[in-house]
Amino acid sequence: KDHTLVLSVYNSAIGMRTMHEYALFCSAVRKANLGTAAEHLHNMSGLYPEIDARSPHEEVRKLIKGLCAVGDFLTAAQAVDDYAASFNLSNDARLKELEGDMYRYIGKSSRDPEAILRARDAYQEATDRSHYPNSSRVLGKVAASSSLIAELVA
């Protein structure tokens, strides 16, 4: 079992602002105030404090699903970008797979081949990272995404 401690370190001003935005984001997600949640997530772009790949990422998943349910696919895609920006320095393939999963959800909900393409690219990047034990599962997602793209553009 992996017992690695994962944390973000900020200077005090950025840290206080980020933790305040994080609390407001989580509260807005719990209250299903999707626009406000997306705004707080955007304010943390590149600074999201929960960066452990083992986390279930429940808040952001709930936000993406909620935005898609109301047809706000552009805000959902921006939320994925804002969230993923916090993991740019990570080589953990699980985070790329998560990004792909969120884009695939947007693409399937919106029937947008561009979102599915972004999902496929994220999955491909996840499989390219060395020693990823779930590569075969993710390769299946690459293939499924490619099939869905072909179906949407046909």
Side-chain angles (χ1 to χ4, degrees):
K1 188 172 185 175
D2 189 4
H3 295 285
T4 304
L5 176 63
V6 179
L7 60 114
S8 296
V9 180
Y10 308 100
N11 72 38
S12 60
I14 292 173
M16 287 187 326
R17 187 186 88 231
T18 299
M19 294 313 295
H20 179 71
E21 291 288 348
Y22 180 68
L24 294 172
F25 166 72
C26 291
S27 176
V29 169
R30 279 192 302 277
K31 294 176 183 175
N33 190 340
L34 304 173
T36 300
E39 182 179 322
H40 290 299
L41 181 60
H42 183 70
N43 292 342
M44 292 185 289
S45 182
L47 300 171
Y48 192 82
E50 176 58 68
I51 59 171
D52 190 342
R54 299 167 295 185
S55 166
H57 309 274
E58 291 175 21
E59 291 90 0
V60 76
R61 288 179 188 269
K62 187 174 180 178
L63 174 63
I64 300 305
K65 288 181 179 183
L67 289 167
C68 288
V70 298
D72 194 350
F73 306 114
L74 291 176
T75 302
Q78 182 62 54
V80 173
D81 289 342
D82 291 335
Y83 190 66
S86 299
F87 308 114
N88 284 340
L89 297 178
S90 174
N91 279 333
D92 195 317
R94 292 172 292 188
L95 296 168
K96 273 296 173 188
E97 182 180 3
L98 170 68
E99 183 181 346
D101 289 347
M102 290 188 291
Y103 270 117
R104 186 179 64 188
Y105 189 87
I106 294 167
K108 287 175 107 177
S109 298
S110 65
R111 310 287 298 162
D112 178 15
E114 181 63 33
I116 300 293
L117 181 61
R118 292 183 77 178
R120 188 185 67 189
D121 291 347
Y123 291 142
Q124 189 60 57
E125 191 172 334
T127 62
D128 291 345
R129 295 184 180 186
S130 63
H131 308 298
Y132 188 45
N134 297 317
S135 289
S136 60
R137 181 186 71 220
V138 179
L139 284 172
K141 291 179 179 183
V142 170
S145 296
S146 295
S147 296
L148 185 55
I149 290 168
E151 176 187 319
L152 292 174
V153 296

